[in-house]
Amino acid sequence: RKAAAGGGGRNGRRNSGLLRTSTATLVDPPGQASRAPTKASSAAAERAAAADAAAWRRSKSGGGGGATYAEVDRGILKQAFGKHDTDDNDALDHAELLQCFSELGLRPKTQAERREVREIVWSYDRLYFNFEDFAKHVVPEVREKLTELRRLGLLNIFKETDAHRRGYLTVEEVLNMLRRTGNFLGDGVCDEALRSYLLLVGQEDRIHHGRRIQMDLEGFISFVRILQEYHDRDNVDTFERIVRQFGLTAEDEELWKHDLVDFHKMFYEYDPFTGKYGSSSGVMDESGLITVLRESGYMPKTRAKQAALSQLILKVMRPDGTFTFMEFLQIMLTLREYDRERLRRIIETRLQSFGRQGMSAAVRMHELGELLTECGVMPRNVDERQEIRALMEDADYEDAGVLTRDEVVIVCQRINAKVRGMQHERERQYVLS
């Protein structure tokens, strides 16, 4: 809105400088922003998109296939740009641009990050961005700024993980660290991110070393940045694939936007060592379903709710006595609502003590920590405390400084799910050690 009104822009571009990591050598240095985007030749645009997509497919299928990091990255950017160019004018407006950042794994997650990303977008003093400006200027600058803002936290994590002060970490150590902090990465995502990182640093021939590859602090920061982008992109892709596969409506998407991917993994993944008891076949019997529900953390505690759950299970059970993912979602919807009812009662009681009541009663951000404690959210260590703080900041995505009662309920459930996963992972790593 600020940009559309003519405010927020700056005369001239600031000097971005080089990235602290080696990504700086692989993108064109930011310079003067180009003129307002115009429609390119359709044939030329199609050829460019085809070449970029081909490079991206080669990288995903066979260790790079001769593609450079810049080619691979450009293919990813091209695909995301085309997806969000909904009016097909070869340009993104501000709203489409911010959605595209989320698609790319570049969504700002704290108030400081959101402010800086807005400043970068406003600094161009324009309403639309063509692909070249997007790929050569905007995305590199956003990546640089997010890396800068997250650098101190990554530095502390590196030092903590490098307990023997060797000055390097292996890929396996990095992945274990990320899992301990609630970032549960699939093997496919890890392998793609590692391949991309090796392309970035020009060491793709080391791919056969796998997770024994060592990296210093700067390599660690680069690798984590790539890994987080791939992980976030994979979550977006998985969400959309589930929506298509099960024919979910726009209303369903809004209803499950925070939980769909996690519940899908819960139902389909089987790995008792990490607390996963799903069924890869996509069908499970009543005994398997009860086990998954217990591990979900949503099982009701009262006898009345447990009896109601038993009736619901019998109601949605298929004639052959089994359950698919859609029946599982019906049950989880009810269990999630049971938990939300409990949390709403706690929050409403607390808000009344503040002299506020009703569904629209606002919770100020400085009150959120106290409310979460009332709801049973109590971190056990530094990692949990940091993740809880991050989710609290992420919840106020409009930077309004307040949350509604229902927004507090949702963030409480998200925190509980994250902490439960972190505790499972700590137990797993303890057993392995």
Side-chain angles (χ1 to χ4, degrees), residues 80-93 95-96 99:
F81 185 92
K83 178 178 176 180
H84 290 278
D85 180 19
T86 53
D87 47 9
D88 199 27
N89 67 342
D90 295 332
L92 300 181
D93 61 26
E96 292 169 338
Q99 291 170 358

Side-chain angles (χ1 to χ4, degrees), residues 327-431:
E327 286 83 46
F328 176 70
L329 271 189
Q330 290 181 54
I331 295 170
M332 290 304 298
L333 179 63
T334 299
L335 295 186
R336 190 179 70 173
E337 188 55 35
Y338 285 166
D339 189 51
R340 289 184 177 181
E341 288 173 4
R342 176 184 67 85
L343 294 171
R344 287 188 193 106
R345 287 194 297 270
I346 296 171
I347 293 168
E348 284 175 353
T349 300
R350 192 60 180 168
L351 287 177
Q352 286 173 5
S353 71
F354 294 155
R356 283 169 260 156
Q357 54 187 329
M359 290 183 60
S360 60
V363 177
R364 300 182 181 95
M365 289 304 293
H366 71 270
E367 300 167 341
L368 184 55
E370 184 179 347
L371 271 175
L372 292 177
T373 301
E374 291 279 341
C375 292
V377 175
M378 289 177 285
R380 301 182 184 182
N381 53 44
V382 174
D383 288 341
E384 289 184 7
R385 190 156 43 247
Q386 290 175 342
E387 288 303 309
I388 289 172
R389 190 180 301 116
L391 284 171
M392 288 167 60
E393 280 209 65
D394 192 34
D396 185 25
Y397 57 88
E398 293 183 347
D399 294 331
V402 295
L403 299 177
T404 66
R405 179 200 64 176
D406 283 346
E407 286 173 337
V408 176
V409 168
I410 290 171
V411 74
C412 186
Q413 288 186 325
R414 291 179 65 196
I415 288 172
N416 282 333
K418 174 66 75 76
V419 170
R420 191 163 52 249
M422 293 172 69
Q423 291 169 356
H424 270 306
E425 182 59 24
R426 278 202 305 274
E427 292 168 2
R428 185 188 75 85
Q429 293 192 21
Y430 176 76
V431 170

Side-chain angles (χ1 to χ4, degrees), residues 125-184:
D125 199 17
R126 65 176 60 191
L127 297 178
Y128 295 95
F129 296 82
N130 64 22
F131 177 70
E132 292 304 318
D133 286 335
F134 170 77
K136 292 185 177 180
H137 303 299
V138 181
V139 169
E141 197 168 344
V142 168
R143 277 177 173 159
E144 177 185 6
K145 180 54 66 175
L146 292 180
T147 301
E148 176 187 326
L149 293 171
R150 296 168 182 174
R151 185 180 180 86
L152 179 60
L154 291 175
L155 174 61
N156 292 334
I157 290 173
F158 183 89
K159 289 180 177 178
E160 180 184 340
T161 308
D162 182 22
H164 300 292
R165 300 294 182 266
R166 299 166 302 177
Y168 68 85
L169 297 175
T170 65
V171 171
E172 188 63 36
E173 289 172 328
V174 174
L175 297 180
N176 283 336
M177 174 274 297
L178 290 172
R179 292 188 188 105
R180 283 197 304 274
T181 56
N183 297 287
F184 307 108

Side-chain angles (χ1 to χ4, degrees), residues 206-248:
R206 296 177 59 203
I207 189 66
H208 64 278
H209 292 296
R211 299 185 180 182
R212 296 168 306 181
I213 291 172
Q214 301 170 357
M215 50 188 68
D216 61 11
L217 174 61
E218 296 303 325
F220 165 77
I221 291 174
S222 294
F223 179 57
V224 169
R225 190 267 297 170
I226 293 171
L227 198 55
Q228 287 175 332
E229 287 185 21
Y230 272 76
H231 176 56
D232 288 353
R233 284 201 295 268
D234 182 67
N235 276 341
V236 171
D237 291 343
T238 302
F239 183 92
E240 293 176 351
R241 177 173 54 80
I242 296 169
V243 167
R244 291 192 302 271
Q245 180 180 352
F246 294 97
L248 302 184

